[in-house]
Amino acid sequence: MQWTTIQLLLPGAPKLPLLLSATHEEREVPDTGRIKSTLHPEASAVVFEADLRRAVSDELPFYAEIDRAQAIMLERVGLINRGLVKKLLVELDRLEVEGFHSVAASPAPRGSYLAYEDHLRSVIGKEASNLHLGRSRNDINATLVKLRLRAPYQELVGELLELLRVLCGRARAHLETVFPLHTHRQPALPSTFAHHLAAFAVALARDLDALMAVHPLLNRSCLGACVGGGTTLPILPDLTARLLGFVTSPINSIDSVASRDLVLRLLAGSAILGSNLSRIAETLLLWVGEAGLASLPDELVGSSSAMPHKRNPFLLEQVQGKAGAITGCLVAAVTGMHSTPFTNCVAVGTEATRQVWSGIDNSIGSVRLIRLCFSRLTVEKDAASAMLERSFVNAMEMATRLAVDGDLDFRSAHHKVGQLVTTAVECGAPNLLAITHGDRMLDPDESLAPDVIARTARSGGGPASEAVVAVLDQLERSIERSAGVLSHIRSGWCHGREELRSAIASFDGRTTL
């Protein structure tokens, strides 16, 4: 048995040598040298998974990818040898092919990462732990979160881009489709269906901007920050960052392991997006409900278990419910991070961060459901026209013209038109189609028909087709710019993977995944 001598230095005490067995890691009872037992079983059941089945998809593939990059880097700076790297790469490939079953079948009394490391040590030898030179679980887990976020981030942004394209495309098809604008759930003004869809798209485009704004954080590696104090070793964080597809390496080691504001920013953007989607869903529920202004096909509604006549637009209610869940994830994450020390912290890195997965999943689902509804929504044009004709939606325009063309101020004109509406309602008149001012009939070119009002309301972003088209042109340019940025981000991630595979292939006698 080999022994290593180290010195224990205590103030005022003689130098006392300690003899440590080089094989102490192989004892049956885990012994870190400082802690001689595993975590209490009841505590372990709370903080660790009972088995590693979830880790097979959520963590282990990312540990392996980080280890590949780490091994390449450590060999390049001379901290480990090529033989160890080759053995490690072969085992990581084998684990990936088998779906990490060997690790998942192992006990994990100290969590998934140490179970994974223990497996490598058991297969490769104790020198496998030298992969941990210049790093810790702190910077590994911070990096893993960003790697794991790539796929759902792409999916969410991609779904939102597709929803915006659907809205813009359908708006162009309905530039002349007159449609009532509601306030306080009552028909209020003449508008168009395109005007409404453009409004939804303008709001959602801001949500897209907010989500796109976080990608620089997503593209900054944390690997190399180690525990939070960096390292005295001559590692190459820029290299590991590049091999993993990141744009930049850590700029401050404390911030790298302490901060998860990426999670908060993604959840905040998702929560606002969810809020907007819930409001849009409520508007659609108004349209497809008793108002009958639009309808959804059979494949996007549900039946009642008791009432044969029902066609329930329950998908829109799903969107509303998911929006609340996303907000709950944001609140839980913010609260979990609040008033914690600015260093690596389990409350931040584990408990608060776990909220992001459910939050993004609900966001993706909400966007997808709304997109499906808009792509298959049918506008009931006759019902929309009938509502416009019977709802006095031209009353504001009438008051405006009385003030502009007559001798009444606007408030007096407002009062006069209100009286006319009251009289018309009492007499059962269907609408106010024309008025007189004094003895003069308003010019026929000043028609108060709802479609004419909608067609001529150009100012202030109104429903006139040329105004809506201008908005759609701007939106579509912005959508394609964002799509280009997302494509560039994705290309960077793919390029990093290709560079890592190329570096792996440089080790003789290997086949790469």
Side-chain angles (χ1 to χ4, degrees):
M1 179 178 292
Q2 296 180 342
W3 298 83
T4 300
T5 302
I6 64 172
Q7 297 291 333
L8 176 64
L9 300 180
L10 297 174
K15 295 181 178 180
L16 301 175
L18 294 179
L19 297 179
L20 299 180
S21 167
T23 59
H24 70 93
E25 302 92 341
E26 299 168 7
R27 299 173 186 170
E28 290 185 7
V29 177
D31 183 355
T32 69
R34 186 72 176 89
I35 298 173
K36 300 184 182 300
S37 65
T38 58
L39 191 64
H40 189 285
E42 287 188 77
S44 180
V46 173
V47 300
F48 296 135
E49 300 282 350
D51 57 55
L52 295 180
R53 283 177 293 184
R54 183 191 58 80
V56 165
S57 61
D58 293 349
E59 296 173 355
L60 298 181
F62 301 106
Y63 287 144
E65 199 72 350
I66 289 170
D67 273 0
R68 290 184 178 107
Q70 178 80 353
I72 297 294
M73 183 275 292
L74 289 177
E75 191 276 336
R76 192 164 298 184
V77 298
L79 289 172
I80 61 175
N81 61 55
R82 290 178 66 87
L84 173 59
V85 175
K86 290 173 71 172
K87 287 191 288 186
L88 173 77
L89 294 175
V90 167
E91 177 59 17
L92 291 178
D93 283 359
R94 190 192 70 78
L95 285 173
E96 197 141 23
V97 168
E98 69 157 31
F100 295 91
H101 174 76
S102 300
V103 181
S106 304
R110 297 180 295 165
S112 61
Y113 175 75
L114 290 176
Y116 162 80
E117 185 187 79
D118 286 345
H119 170 83
L120 294 181
R121 285 164 54 82
S122 70
V123 173
I124 297 171
K126 62 182 184 298
E127 67 272 16
S129 65
N130 285 340
L131 272 178
H132 217 53
L133 291 171
R135 72 179 190 185
S136 77
R137 275 186 296 181
N138 296 2
D139 59 341
I140 291 172
N141 288 335
T143 302
L144 183 147
V145 167
K146 294 185 177 184
L147 292 174
R148 188 180 164 194
L149 273 171
R150 287 177 178 178
Y153 177 79
Q154 289 182 78
E155 188 174 6
L156 175 57
V157 173
E159 283 287 349
L160 188 50
L161 285 167
E162 189 58 30
L163 169 59
L164 286 165
R165 291 187 180 107
V166 168
L167 289 172
C168 290
R170 298 223 63 190
R172 288 191 182 279
H174 287 278
L175 291 170
E176 304 297 334
T177 303
V178 292
F179 206 81
L181 170 62
H182 286 71
T183 64
H184 303 282
R185 301 178 185 270
Q186 304 170 67
L189 293 169
S191 181
T192 65
F193 191 63
H195 192 213
H196 284 82
L197 297 185
F200 301 155
V202 167
L204 295 174
R206 290 194 295 272
D207 295 326
L208 175 63
D209 289 343
L211 292 173
M212 295 297 294
V214 306
H215 80 79
L217 274 178
L218 190 59
N219 258 337
R220 179 178 297 157
S221 173
C222 300
L223 207 60
C226 201
V227 175
T231 178
T232 59
L233 295 173
I235 63 170
L236 300 173
D238 286 346
L239 176 58
T240 49
R242 191 170 73 248
L243 294 176
L244 292 170
F246 291 104
V247 175
T248 56
S249 57
I251 61 175
N252 181 279
S253 57
I254 297 175
D255 176 66
S256 293
V257 300
S259 297
R260 296 295 191 279
D261 54 301
L262 166 64
V263 165
L264 297 186
R265 294 174 196 279
L266 277 175
L267 284 174
S270 296
I272 297 170
L273 167 63
S275 177
N276 280 331
L277 291 175
S278 75
R279 298 181 68 194
I280 293 169
E282 180 62 24
T283 301
L284 288 178
L285 285 167
L286 172 67
W287 292 351
V288 303
E290 189 175 355
L293 298 172
S295 61
L296 290 168
D298 286 354
E299 61 266 30
L300 294 178
V301 297
S303 62
S304 165
S305 66
M307 297 171 285
H309 65 290
K310 295 297 294 297
R311 298 180 79 257
N312 298 325
F314 75 103
L315 297 180
L316 298 170
E317 295 172 357
Q318 291 270 356
V319 171
Q320 293 175 316
K322 288 180 182 296
I326 300 165
T327 301
C329 291
L330 171 62
V331 172
V334 170
T335 305
M337 295 187 194
H338 183 69
S339 294
T340 56
F342 201 83
T343 184
N344 183 74
C345 180
V346 171
V348 173
T350 300
E351 295 301 326
T353 296
R354 75 169 76 247
Q355 305 298 328
V356 73
W357 312 115
S358 177
I360 289 189
D361 186 58
N362 279 311
S363 299
I364 292 169
S366 296
V367 177
R368 187 171 293 154
L369 290 177
I370 283 284
R371 174 178 57 79
L372 287 170
C373 289
F374 273 118
S375 65
R376 303 298 305 279
L377 191 73
T378 299
V379 183
E380 303 297 340
K381 296 181 180 181
D382 290 344
S385 295
M387 179 176 284
L388 288 166
E389 291 299 323
R390 68 174 181 265
S391 302
F392 304 101
V393 293
N394 53 3
M396 179 178 172
E397 184 67 16
M398 182 180 294
T400 298
R401 294 188 189 184
L402 282 173
V404 171
D405 299 330
D407 55 6
L408 295 176
D409 64 277
F410 179 75
R411 193 54 56 204
S412 298
H414 184 282
H415 181 76
K416 180 178 180 64
V417 173
Q419 289 179 320
L420 290 171
V421 171
T422 299
T423 300
V425 170
E426 291 173 348
C427 296
N431 206 343
L432 301 171
L433 298 179
I435 63 168
T436 59
H437 177 65
D439 296 328
R440 182 175 69 86
M441 179 71 73
L442 289 179
D443 191 288
D445 292 336
E446 299 176 308
S447 169
L448 293 171
D451 61 324
V452 175
I453 296 171
R455 192 165 56 246
T456 55
R458 301 178 180 86
S459 300
S465 60
E466 58 266 38
V468 175
V469 166
V471 173
L472 295 175
D473 289 343
Q474 182 179 348
L475 279 169
E476 288 168 344
R477 288 192 296 268
S478 177
I479 290 167
E480 295 315 311
R481 280 196 301 269
S482 294
V485 172
L486 180 63
S487 178
H488 180 72
I489 294 169
R490 186 185 295 115
S491 295
W493 293 338
C494 292
H495 180 74
R497 183 174 178 84
E498 291 167 3
E499 187 169 351
L500 177 57
R501 291 299 178 264
S502 177
I504 290 171
S506 69
F507 286 83
D508 296 338
R510 296 203 65 258
T511 57
T512 60
L513 292 177

